[in-house]
Amino acid sequence: MTMWRRPDAEMIAQWGRVRAQLRAEFGEAAFNSWLKPLSLSEVADQSVRVAVPTRFMRDWIDSNYRGRLIELWQQENADIADVEVIVEPSPASTTGPKIAPVKEAEELPLPAAEQVPSREIPVSVEDSAALDPRFTFTNFVVGRSNELAHAAARRVAESNEVPFNPLFLYGGVGLGKTHLMHAMAWHICRRSPDRRVLYMSAEKFMYQFIRALRYKTIMDFKEQFRSVDVLMIDDIQFIAGKDSTQEEFFHTFNALVDRNRQIVISADKSPSDIEGLEERLKSRLGWGLVADIHPTDYELRLGILQSKAEQLDAEIPPKLLEFLAHKITSNVRELEGALNRIVAHTTLVGRPITLETSQEVLHDLLRANDRRVTIDEIQKRVAEHFNIRLADMHSARRARAVARPRQVAMFLSKQLTSRSLPEIGRKFGGRDHTTVMHAVRKIEELRASDSSFNEDVELLRRMLET
Ligand code: ADP
Ligand code: MG
């Protein structure tokens, strides 16, 4: 039987860090709508219970955020194996904080955009309060890895026609997709104030869609989207696997294309590589221009650091900027985080930072970047190497030609990341941990018996480690 108790100070501190991480990963809008209302209710030896005020929120968090919540807790506290999301007050709990029951009609939390006080925004549609004023073209540093995406974004922002429809931008986390989209929205609104621009995350799209269904305002919902000149939907991968939302999005998309309105979409993968997206939608998304943003190279990172240091009006030794550009390679968000920390430290301590002190200030970031290879990258590299489709990493196909590479990718995921077997299984199309275990053994056997196979795997590993 699980013995539940009130969280102690240490657990509360861990929860604080988990929350901070969630905020950083999912952004302000999602955080305010869904994650902020979470409270730590009870803990047991291997699990924690977090509480939300409504059933609707519980279901949403369960299906969209719980997996990540568990992973983040495990990073803080290796004992934790599960996170339960409960509606408070729950019958089992008398210790947790009490929250007054909410009436049915009030069950939905307000989306972030409705919580912020309205301010002067140049965009004619409600949701664009979400635009970040720092995300402009002027502040965007162009390098080889993002020049195509940048040029395409500028072209769309600067022309009165619809040069390509849709513009589909894709790339890994923190490489500037949202920045470019906001920059386009700002630019269009300044240039032609009468064009209606609507920027929205796919999550928000889904949220509004569900709300419209619930409150029977679906016609207003449709009208809101059909009346814009430029529609931008960020992180479209979010609606993968959400069938009715996809269907609605598909109709919106077609209606706008028919009227020759501009559509801009972003995602973490190319249309054909997003799992759980209907074929017809995939194909439509690829109709216009598909531009990918590659991981940054050293020059771009240095350029971004110099530009940010200038914006912050901070005197930072060039050697230190070079050091950061070398060391922090994962994404631009972390690079900015490192710079901000250094500037904060300098201001607080009151003396200029040196290369040595910076290593102390940034030790956790530097360490994280030492082991930065992710399962996604492993899958991508291995798929390329064996010349199979990335989708086959997740598919149920068992033909040797795809099953073996998949096993290699599982094996490398076990070796090169700190993910557990069940986590790895989940990343490979929801496979069981025993499947992963079997793959690891199988690859070990093959490496011992087949030297050319062994060389292949070693080669892949070296490529992934550097
Ligand atoms: P994504 O949406 O691709 O995950 P973001 O657009 O949120 O990434 O970018 C993460 C952070 O990095 C933002 O603060 C953004 O301003 C910054 N950034 C990314 N690329 C660049 C760039 N080329 N120049 C300047 N800042 C950048
Ligand atoms: Mg983004």
Side-chain angles (χ1 to χ4, degrees):
M1 215 187 72
T2 315
M3 297 289 285
W4 293 101
R5 55 181 188 271
R6 279 169 184 276
D8 58 13
E10 198 186 338
M11 293 290 280
I12 292 173
Q14 290 169 1
W15 171 233
R17 290 190 292 272
V18 170
R19 274 170 65 98
Q21 189 62 31
L22 288 169
R23 183 183 215 130
E25 285 182 18
F26 292 101
E28 283 304 305
F31 183 80
N32 284 331
S33 299
W34 304 110
L35 301 164
K36 204 167 168 189
L38 280 175
S39 61
L40 181 60
S41 173
E42 296 175 300
V43 302
D45 291 340
Q46 296 185 348
S47 28
V48 297
R49 274 186 175 154
V50 293
V52 288
T54 68
R55 262 180 299 130
F56 179 83
M57 290 185 72
R58 181 200 55 202
D59 296 346
W60 186 279
I61 288 166
D62 243 356
S63 50
N64 294 298
Y65 298 105
R66 188 163 151 262
R68 190 60 189 146
L69 253 174
I70 296 175
E71 286 173 0
L72 289 173
W73 263 106
Q74 285 173 340
Q75 283 172 18
E76 285 296 330
N77 180 341
D79 292 338
I80 299 300
D82 192 26
V83 175
E84 229 180 282
V85 186
I86 59 169
V87 182
E88 200 85 270
S90 85
S93 139
T94 47
T95 52
K98 286 277 177 291
I99 291 165
V102 194
K103 283 199 254 30
E104 181 72 4
E106 294 166 359
E107 273 210 7
L108 285 165
L110 281 178
E114 290 174 21
Q115 287 170 347
V116 296
S118 60
R119 55 187 151 105
E120 216 30 69
I121 36 160
V123 188
S124 47
V125 195
E126 160 237 3
D127 194 61
S128 300
L131 291 185
D132 190 318
R134 293 165 308 164
F135 290 180
T136 59
F137 281 124
T138 322
N139 290 344
F140 191 83
V141 183
V142 185
R144 268 222 310 272
S145 57
N146 60 21
E147 66 183 350
L148 174 64
H150 171 260
R154 277 214 97 105
R155 171 68 68 80
V156 166
E158 280 164 4
S159 56
N160 297 319
E161 317 281 279
V162 174
F164 9 75
N165 220 2
L167 169 59
F168 189 100
L169 301 172
Y170 79 94
V173 179
L175 295 181
K177 302 180 294 292
T178 299
H179 187 136
L180 274 180
M181 288 178 111
H182 288 204
M184 294 164 77
W186 287 119
H187 194 89
I188 296 172
C189 294
R190 289 222 181 87
R191 243 183 99 253
S192 12
D194 51 331
R195 282 182 95 191
R196 288 169 58 88
V197 179
L198 177 54
Y199 165 86
M200 190 179 275
S201 68
E203 177 169 16
K204 182 78 183 288
F205 179 88
M206 168 151 174
Y207 169 83
Q208 293 212 342
F209 173 59
I210 291 173
R211 194 167 68 160
L213 286 178
R214 181 164 179 155
Y215 294 117
K216 310 202 167 43
T217 52
I218 200 75
M219 291 320 286
D220 297 343
F221 173 84
K222 285 183 190 291
E223 185 43 39
Q224 180 198 359
F225 287 96
R226 309 268 199 282
S227 64
V228 301
D229 297 298
V230 182
L231 175 65
M232 300 183 172
I233 301 287
D234 206 350
D235 289 322
I236 195 81
Q237 74 277 1
F238 187 84
I239 65 167
K242 320 267 168 46
D243 294 343
S244 47
T245 305
Q246 272 189 51
E247 172 93 26
E248 182 60 33
F249 177 73
F250 185 71
H251 294 311
T252 305
F253 184 98
N254 287 336
L256 288 173
V257 170
D258 282 348
R259 289 170 212 186
N260 202 28
R261 310 284 167 78
Q262 179 71 54
I263 299 176
V264 183
I265 306 285
S266 85
D268 62 350
K269 299 196 183 74
S270 77
S272 55
D273 283 335
I274 302 177
E275 252 190 284
L277 217 54
E278 277 181 57
E279 283 308 320
R280 57 177 188 171
L281 186 53
K282 282 186 184 175
S283 110
R284 287 292 157 97
L285 289 173
W287 270 6
L289 181 72
V290 177
D292 62 340
I293 307 185
H294 298 277
T296 54
D297 55 22
Y298 171 76
E299 284 77 21
L300 179 58
R301 289 196 293 275
L302 189 58
I304 291 174
L305 283 170
Q306 286 164 344
S307 139
K308 304 267 172 195
E310 221 168 274
Q311 281 168 44
L312 292 168
D313 209 10
E315 288 276 348
I316 297 179
K319 275 268 165 282
L320 182 50
L321 293 184
E322 284 165 26
F323 172 74
L324 292 181
H326 260 304
K327 282 293 189 182
I328 300 189
T329 53
S330 48
N331 71 50
V332 182
R333 198 169 292 142
E334 288 204 351
L335 204 57
E336 279 185 331
L339 189 66
N340 288 339
R341 213 190 281 181
I342 286 178
V343 173
H345 190 86
T346 316
T347 326
L348 289 174
V349 179
R351 63 170 179 273
I353 195 149
T354 63
L355 206 54
E356 287 69 43
T357 46
S358 80
Q359 309 220 13
E360 256 165 62
V361 176
L362 301 174
H363 71 280
D364 53 332
L365 273 179
L366 296 173
R367 206 181 46 212
N369 273 272
D370 275 345
R371 281 198 329 191
R372 66 184 187 285
V373 60
T374 63
I375 296 182
D376 286 338
E377 285 166 73
I378 294 174
Q379 291 178 331
K380 194 161 163 261
R381 275 292 175 91
V382 175
E384 276 165 14
H385 182 79
F386 289 103
N387 207 8
I388 64 169
R389 292 181 316 144
L390 183 55
D392 277 329
M393 287 292 164
H394 317 276
S395 77
R397 290 182 58 201
R398 290 191 183 175
R400 164 87 53 94
V402 297
R404 189 71 80 225
R406 198 188 291 133
Q407 288 178 325
V408 170
M410 287 183 194
F411 169 82
L412 290 170
S413 300
K414 185 69 202 132
Q415 284 218 322
L416 301 179
T417 75
S418 52
R419 299 293 178 202
S420 66
L421 294 174
E423 282 170 325
I424 296 174
R426 245 175 279 141
K427 281 285 206 175
F428 284 83
R431 287 180 157 77
D432 196 72
H433 73 278
T434 52
T435 310
V436 184
M437 211 149 64
H438 173 74
V440 171
R441 289 214 194 99
K442 183 79 208 165
I443 298 304
E444 274 164 359
E445 271 169 40
L446 283 171
R447 287 179 56 185
S449 62
D450 178 342
S451 66
S452 79
F453 179 79
N454 186 32
E455 270 168 33
D456 242 21
V457 176
E458 273 309 307
L459 178 72
L460 271 166
R461 184 172 57 187
R462 272 201 301 280
M463 282 193 332
L464 283 160
E465 273 177 338
T466 49

Short mmCIF file of all heavy atoms in Angstrom, two decimals, residues 177-178 234-235 333, ligand 2:
data_model
loop_
_atom_site.label_atom_id
_atom_site.label_comp_id
_atom_site.label_asym_id
_atom_site.label_seq_id
_atom_site.Cartn_x
_atom_site.Cartn_y
_atom_site.Cartn_z
N LYS A 177 12.53 29.27 -34.60
CA LYS A 177 11.29 29.21 -35.40
C LYS A 177 10.27 30.24 -34.90
O LYS A 177 9.72 31.01 -35.68
CB LYS A 177 10.67 27.81 -35.32
CG LYS A 177 11.59 26.72 -35.80
CD LYS A 177 10.94 25.35 -35.70
CE LYS A 177 10.64 24.89 -34.28
NZ LYS A 177 11.84 24.62 -33.47
N THR A 178 10.05 30.23 -33.60
CA THR A 178 9.08 31.16 -33.04
C THR A 178 9.55 32.60 -33.25
O THR A 178 8.77 33.48 -33.60
CB THR A 178 8.86 30.86 -31.54
OG1 THR A 178 8.34 29.53 -31.43
CG2 THR A 178 7.89 31.82 -30.91
N ASP A 234 2.11 27.86 -34.79
CA ASP A 234 3.43 27.46 -34.29
C ASP A 234 3.36 26.05 -33.69
O ASP A 234 2.37 25.71 -33.05
CB ASP A 234 3.84 28.47 -33.20
CG ASP A 234 5.35 28.57 -33.04
OD1 ASP A 234 6.07 27.76 -33.63
OD2 ASP A 234 5.80 29.48 -32.31
N ASP A 235 4.39 25.27 -33.92
CA ASP A 235 4.50 23.93 -33.33
C ASP A 235 3.34 23.02 -33.71
O ASP A 235 2.67 22.44 -32.85
CB ASP A 235 4.61 24.02 -31.80
CG ASP A 235 5.96 24.58 -31.37
OD1 ASP A 235 6.96 24.24 -32.01
OD2 ASP A 235 6.00 25.37 -30.40
N ARG A 333 18.56 28.96 -27.15
CA ARG A 333 17.95 29.33 -25.88
C ARG A 333 18.95 29.12 -24.74
O ARG A 333 19.07 29.96 -23.85
CB ARG A 333 16.69 28.51 -25.65
CG ARG A 333 15.78 29.11 -24.61
CD ARG A 333 14.43 28.42 -24.59
NE ARG A 333 13.66 28.68 -25.79
CZ ARG A 333 12.89 27.76 -26.38
NH1 ARG A 333 12.83 26.55 -25.90
NH2 ARG A 333 12.20 28.07 -27.45
MG MG B 2 8.95 27.77 -30.68
#
